[in-house]
Structures are given as structure tokens and as C-alpha cells.
Amino acid sequence: KNQVEQSPQSLIILEGKNCTLQCNYTVSPFSNLRWYKQDTGRGPVSLTIMTFSENTKSNGRYTATLDADTKQSSLHITASQLSDSASYICVVSEGNNAGNMLTFGGGTRLMVKP
Amino acid sequence: NAGVTQTPKFQVLKTGQSMTLQCAQDMNHNSMYWYRQDPGMGLRLIYYSASEGTTDKGEVPNGYNVSRLNKREFSLRLESAAPSQTSVYFCASSGFGLSTGELFFGEGSRLTVL
């Protein structure tokens, strides 16, 4: 069964500090990996989408890495801000039929404190 | 640009009651999806519609029905609500299918079944 595991489940950091969130997956065949940010009480919003050939992708202070060989990804947040407090969800897409082909991780809940 | 709009945002039902969650998107997307999100678990696909006129079961379809009313609208119906259906429901849409397409989510509908 395809699985996406994220760690840690929760994390508390001080404003201005950096942090790294981890994602391991067993989805096969692989199409792409996505990171979403979900604010409390809101829907997920896309941060990055990475295909097999991409090792690193940045979106402002967010940098995602992908190692397709070891099936691992990370999301690095630089100089955290209070607005970064949210859940971060790793999602992996299978490389075949449409529709039922996204596997979602359980998310990492990040809290940034002043 | 509203994106994906869901109604209602909150609903409380008694066991056995029925209700319909409405979803509309204004991005001219072909594909639409209904997910549920439970604490500590990744989002799970209930039903999806790859294009107007088609619907297919996802991972957890039991107890639900859907209707793709037109290209814009995709509704989710609970015919006889059960406490196990207490969850947050998200509608999403995609323009190009999940192999490459970005997924846009609504703000969610919080359903409590007593």
C-alpha cells in the first residue's frame, strides 16, 4: 500500500529560526511530490510541486528537496515568521491513472513563537 | 477570483439525517474531487469527477453519493449520516489531471454528526 510518512508530527520553534520537515514515501510509480501549507481552519495551499528530475525547488523562504532514489523529501523554512504557523502536508502523486492517485501524509504541525 | 467555494462551512446533523455539500469552481477546471480530513490522518479521497458527466469512487466512498451537475459544480450527498462521517470535507479542482495539474482546495466544510 502506498504510504507517506511525515516527521515530526509537531514542532515548536522561535521566530527567526530555521526548521526542516521530513517526508518519506513508498508510492510507486512516482510522478511528483507536493508540499502544501494548511492554516488552521483553511484549505491546503500549494507551496511546491517537484518532479522526478528536480532535486531542489524554492518558493520564497520555503525550499523543498527531493531524493527519488531514497524516496525522501524535506521542506526547509528559513527565518521563520509567525505566519508560518500551520500544518505542512507532503503529498505524492502516482505515475498512472487520474483521480485516485494522490497519497497524503498526515502533516507536520508547526508553531512559531515570538 | 473566488477559486473553489464550498457551502455550508459548518453543519450539525443527527444520525440518520441527510444533507448535501455544495462545491463550485470558477477556474474552468475539468476535474473535481471530494476529500475528507480526520485528525492525525492524511486527506482521503471520497469521490472524484475527471470531467463533466463522469464520476468515480475514491478510497472511502461508502455512505456518500456525488453529482457533477455541470463543469462548475460538484456536490456530495450523505443520505443517512452516521457519527463516523464527522469530519472536515474539502472540495478541490484541477485543470489538467493529477499527474501534472495543480490542485486547488476550498476552505472546507466542518460536519458533526451526533
Side-chain angles (χ1 to χ4, degrees):
Chain A
K1 181 181 177 181
N2 289 331
Q3 287 188 313
V4 175
E5 300 290 339
Q6 293 186 241
S7 61
Q9 283 191 323
S10 62
L11 182 63
I12 301 174
I13 61 173
L14 293 176
E15 187 179 13
K17 298 296 186 182
N18 304 335
C19 68
T20 301
L21 314 180
Q22 301 290 343
C23 173
N24 296 335
Y25 62 92
T26 61
V27 177
S28 182
F30 175 87
S31 176
N32 58 66
L33 184 144
R34 309 148 185 246
W35 283 94
Y36 286 85
K37 178 185 180 187
Q38 185 177 22
D39 292 318
T40 301
R42 309 293 295 274
V45 175
S46 178
L47 293 175
T48 65
I49 299 179
M50 301 180 72
T51 60
F52 184 89
S53 60
E54 296 177 295
N55 299 119
T56 303
K57 200 162 191 179
S58 293
N59 178 359
R61 294 180 296 101
Y62 301 100
T63 300
T65 65
L66 173 64
D67 186 335
D69 291 331
T70 61
K71 299 187 176 181
Q72 295 180 325
S73 176
S74 65
L75 180 69
H76 186 75
I77 303 175
T78 303
S80 61
Q81 300 176 359
L82 298 179
S83 60
D84 292 330
S85 296
S87 288
Y88 292 83
I89 303 172
C90 176
V91 187
V92 181
S93 174
E94 286 183 51
N96 43 36
N97 67 339
N100 189 16
M101 60 186 295
L102 293 184
T103 303
F104 288 76
T108 293
R109 183 175 295 274
L110 173 67
M111 181 178 295
V112 180
K113 290 192 169 183
Chain B
N1 188 353
V4 179
T5 303
Q6 295 180 229
T7 57
K9 289 187 175 6
F10 300 93
Q11 184 72 49
V12 179
L13 293 177
K14 294 181 179 179
T15 297
Q17 288 184 319
S18 63
M19 76 158 298
T20 300
L21 300 178
Q22 307 287 353
C23 175
Q25 51 91 9
D26 61 4
M27 296 173 281
N28 200 35
H29 285 168
N30 289 319
S31 303
M32 298 185 72
Y33 312 84
W34 276 105
Y35 291 91
R36 62 177 287 173
Q37 186 176 40
D38 300 296
M41 300 181 67
L43 277 81
R44 292 180 292 169
L45 183 66
I46 304 170
Y47 271 93
Y48 66 98
S49 171
S51 61
E52 185 179 357
T54 68
T55 61
D56 286 286
K57 294 179 180 180
E59 182 184 357
V60 288
N62 292 345
Y64 305 95
N65 286 300
V66 291
S67 295
R68 183 75 182 265
L69 304 171
N70 48 55
K71 191 171 186 178
R72 290 187 64 248
E73 299 172 289
F74 188 38
S75 63
L76 178 72
R77 182 162 179 83
L78 287 70
E79 291 290 353
S80 179
S84 61
Q85 293 178 305
T86 294
S87 187
V88 182
Y89 292 85
F90 288 98
C91 178
S93 71
S94 177
F96 300 101
L98 290 177
S99 60
T100 55
E102 181 57 83
L103 195 61
F104 294 87
F105 286 89
E107 293 297 286
S109 298
R110 294 180 175 275
L111 174 65
T112 300
V113 183
L114 303 175

